[in-house]
Amino acid sequence: MTFNAKASAFLLIMTAAFCLSPLPGRAADNNLPPYEQNLRRLSSIVGALMYLDPLCNGSDPKDWYFQMAALLEAENADDARARQLKDHFNKSYLAYSKTYRSCNDQARKATRLYHTEGQSLLATLKLKHAR
């Protein structure tokens, strides 16, 4: 198995780990914290960066997997919320994996934008949790 095949297999396994449960209904959305949309957006960004950052910057995809795991652990979300956050992560990862096979100018631009937006969201979320 080549490095690329091993990396692809690893990413597929890691992504599948987040896909084990179906999405719950929307009824639970009424009881969500006010920062939930930011958390969902951050989950999507981490999913995108798990694919794009290794493609364009050579980072280790496991680092992004661990970022998502840390986010879920810090949030201590119930099963339904955790599944929704994982779903945002997975959909974003899969969308970019279907769009880009190699790094190009658009992928580099998206990577930079997601890094910036992700840092901003993290700062916002940390401020809200610090209160």
Side-chain angles (χ1 to χ4, degrees), residues 62-110:
K62 289 184 289 190
D63 293 341
W64 295 105
Y65 171 83
F66 292 134
Q67 289 288 330
M68 185 63 193
L71 180 80
L72 290 169
E73 184 177 330
E75 185 57 24
N76 195 25
D78 62 27
D79 289 343
R81 280 188 63 225
R83 280 192 302 270
Q84 287 180 345
L85 295 172
K86 291 172 189 177
D87 184 58
H88 284 269
F89 173 92
N90 289 330
K91 284 181 178 178
S92 184
Y93 177 87
L94 291 172
Y96 280 96
S97 70
K98 291 177 182 178
T99 304
Y100 296 102
R101 296 288 180 213
S102 62
C103 188
N104 59 30
D105 289 339
Q106 287 180 315
R108 277 188 283 282
K109 182 178 180 180

